[in-house]
Amino acid sequence: MLGAFFKSIPYVAARKSLDTAALRQKVISHNLANVDTPHYKRSEVNFEDAFKRALERKPHRLVGFKTDHQHIPINPVPDPTKVEPSIWRQNDTFYRSDDNNVDIDVEMADLAKNELKFHSVVETLNRKMRRLTLSIRGRS
């Protein structure tokens, strides 16, 4: 039963959300540290859309049909447990004449939003762990 809990989709989603929030914190901090660096391009962390597609169990492109176990899969349906966050560099916008595209207000807003997401996931996990602990002890 306990193994099933740690392999469940809600727990995997929470764990991956915390990992993504930690990576996003580093990326935003790096963007803020380079706010005055000429030619620096801001980075973003992408995860939520890919994880959502994996949870829907629907491919976003045509999926190849395998007639043999040795066939190479073509656009397989993504597994939610294998979806990882990715870092994307935004090269297409320019806010200033020195080609730096970091907007400190946007970064600070993203930082606050990331912090709120992180704390809400931690609080949710804490409540689930408390309930799990109480059920193991035999209390409700």
Side-chain angles (χ1 to χ4, degrees), residues 1-46:
M1 179 193 137
L2 201 53
F5 171 76
F6 289 112
K7 291 179 183 175
S8 68
I9 293 297
Y11 180 77
V12 169
R15 185 173 46 88
K16 289 193 173 279
S17 293
L18 292 177
D19 292 343
T20 301
L23 178 61
R24 191 170 280 135
Q25 176 79 16
K26 289 178 187 176
V27 169
I28 293 170
S29 298
H30 196 259
N31 288 343
L32 287 169
N34 288 288
V35 71
D36 291 326
T37 305
H39 307 290
Y40 179 79
K41 305 297 181 208
R42 72 182 296 272
S43 297
E44 292 180 358
V45 175
N46 295 325

